C-alpha cells in the first residue's frame, strides 16, 4: 500500500526529514462517520483523495525475481516454488502483496476465467506496516517543476487521466503552471496540499484518515 505526504509548510529543503504525516491509502481508511467526515474534508480540498496514484505497488515481497518488467511488475521464475502447489485462491507462492484490493481483484479474475494460466495471482501478506511513502507533493518548488503531461497524469487537453484522482484541482494547477502564473499556483498548492493546523492533523490522525510515520525511526 502507498500513502501520500501531507506537508505542514509549502517550502522544504528536505521533505524526507520535514514530512511525517501521510494520507492513508483509501483501501485502509476506516468506515465510520468520524473518518468519513475527515475523508470528505480532504476530498473538498483536493477534488479527490491522492494527487498521485492510489494503487500502491504490486508486491510487498518477491521471491525468485528474474528481472524487473516495469515500476511495479517482475518476471518471476518459478511462479510456484518447488514441491508447492497453487493455493485454492489461485495464488502462486513466490510473490506477496498487502494491498487487499489488488489481491481481491486478481483472485476474482482467476475465478471468472479472465486470467491466462501463466498470469499470476499474488499471495496476500497481512503486514499493514509495509508502506510506500510518497513525498511527491510535499514542497511547492518541486511540485511546480513537475511536467504532469510527461509523467502521464494529464492529457494534452489538460484533463486528468484515470491514473490520478484529483482531476479538477490538478487540471487547474496545470493551466496556471503552463501560463507561468507561479503566485496563483502556489496559492492553489497551499489550499490543496498544505495543512498547518496541528488541531486538524491530530483530529484526522485520531480518525485514522492520516497516519504518522518516521522513515528514520
Amino acid at each position: 500500500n502507498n500513502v501520500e505526504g501531507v506537508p505542514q509548510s509549502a517550502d522544504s529543503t528536505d521533505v524526507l526529514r520535514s514530512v511525517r504525516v501521510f494520507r492513508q491509502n483509501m483501501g485502509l481508511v476506516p468506515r465510520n462517520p468520524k473518518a468519513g467526515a475527515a475523508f470528505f474534508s480532504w476530498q473538498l480540498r483536493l477534488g479527490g483523495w491522492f494527487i498521485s496514484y492510489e494503487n500502491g505497488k504490486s508486491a510487498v515481497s518477491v521471491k525468485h525475481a528474474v528481472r524487473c518488467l516495469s515500476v511495479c511488475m517482475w518476471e518471476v521464475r518459478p511462479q510456484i516454488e518447488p514441491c508447492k502447489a497453487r493455493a485454492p485462491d489461485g495464488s502462486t507462492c513466490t510473490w506477496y502483496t498487502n494491498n487487499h484490493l489488488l489481491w481481491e481483484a486478481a483472485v476474482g479474475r482467476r475465478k471468472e476465467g479472465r486470467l491466462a494460466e501463466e498470469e499470476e495471482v499474488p499471495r496476500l501478506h497481512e503486514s499493514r506496516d509495509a508502506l510506500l511513502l510518497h513525498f511527491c507533493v510535499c514542497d511547492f518548488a518541486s511540485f511546480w517543476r513537475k511536467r504532469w503531461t510527461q509523467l502521464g497524469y494529464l492529457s494534452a487537453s489538460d484533463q486528468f487521466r484515470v491514473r490520478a484522482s484529483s482531476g479538477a484541482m490538478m487540471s487547474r494547477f496545470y493551466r496556471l503552471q503552463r501560463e507561468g502564473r507561479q503566485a496563483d499556483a502556489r496559492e492553489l498548492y497551499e489550499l490543496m496540499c498544505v495543512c498547518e493546523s496541528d488541531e486538524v492533523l491530530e483530529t484526522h490522525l485520531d480518525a485514522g484518515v492520516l497516519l504518522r510515520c518516521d522513515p528514520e525511526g
Side-chain angles (χ1 to χ4, degrees):
N1 293 302
N2 58 312
V3 294
E4 189 168 272
V6 178
Q8 293 182 259
S9 170
D11 302 300
S12 174
T13 57
D14 187 351
V15 296
L16 299 181
R17 293 183 180 275
S18 63
V19 176
R20 291 293 179 266
V21 176
F22 299 82
R23 273 189 300 282
Q24 179 62 275
N25 189 280
M26 185 183 292
L28 298 178
V29 172
R31 272 39 176 187
N32 60 59
K34 184 177 181 180
F39 181 88
F40 183 63
S41 72
W42 280 101
Q43 287 190 308
L44 290 177
R45 290 168 63 121
L46 293 164
W49 183 236
F50 280 5
I51 290 176
S52 59
Y53 59 88
E54 298 178 344
N55 60 334
K57 288 290 187 259
S58 57
V60 67
S61 174
V62 180
K63 297 181 181 179
H64 312 306
V66 177
R67 63 191 176 99
C68 180
L69 299 176
S70 69
V71 294
C72 59
M73 292 300 294
W74 293 264
E75 180 182 350
V76 180
R77 298 179 186 169
Q79 291 184 0
I80 300 177
E81 294 184 72
C83 302
K84 298 281 188 178
R86 191 182 299 276
D89 61 16
S91 63
T92 66
C93 303
T94 56
W95 71 288
Y96 301 76
T97 180
N98 71 343
N99 187 315
H100 201 273
L101 295 177
L102 184 150
W103 174 75
E104 281 187 330
V107 170
R109 286 195 298 271
R110 172 70 73 197
K111 289 180 178 179
E112 295 164 7
R114 294 191 289 123
L115 282 184
E117 184 59 31
E118 64 274 11
E119 290 186 275
E120 301 174 56
V121 175
R123 300 284 297 278
L124 182 62
H125 195 295
E126 295 290 354
S127 173
R128 291 168 61 100
D129 296 332
L131 296 171
L132 187 67
L133 305 180
H134 278 194
F135 294 88
C136 58
V137 301
C138 292
D139 78 289
F140 176 74
S142 63
F143 200 80
W144 172 255
R145 290 194 300 268
K146 289 185 190 297
R147 292 297 176 259
W148 297 97
T149 52
Q150 295 175 17
L151 293 171
Y153 285 94
L154 283 162
S155 65
S157 62
D158 300 354
Q159 298 302 310
F160 239 61
R161 294 178 179 172
V162 292
R163 66 175 292 191
S165 58
S166 301
M169 296 294 275
M170 275 306 302
S171 183
R172 180 182 171 195
F173 181 91
Y174 176 67
R175 287 195 295 273
L176 295 173
Q177 182 190 53
R178 189 181 59 185
E179 295 166 3
R181 296 164 58 185
Q182 187 169 358
D184 292 333
R186 181 185 177 92
E187 183 178 344
L188 180 60
Y189 168 81
E190 291 176 345
L191 174 65
M192 290 192 301
C193 300
V194 178
C195 184
E196 297 178 340
S197 170
D198 289 333
E199 181 181 357
V200 169
L201 290 176
E202 290 302 324
T203 299
H204 291 188
L205 285 163
D206 183 61
V209 166
L210 303 181
L211 62 90
R212 197 181 301 277
C213 184
D214 184 354
E216 297 181 308

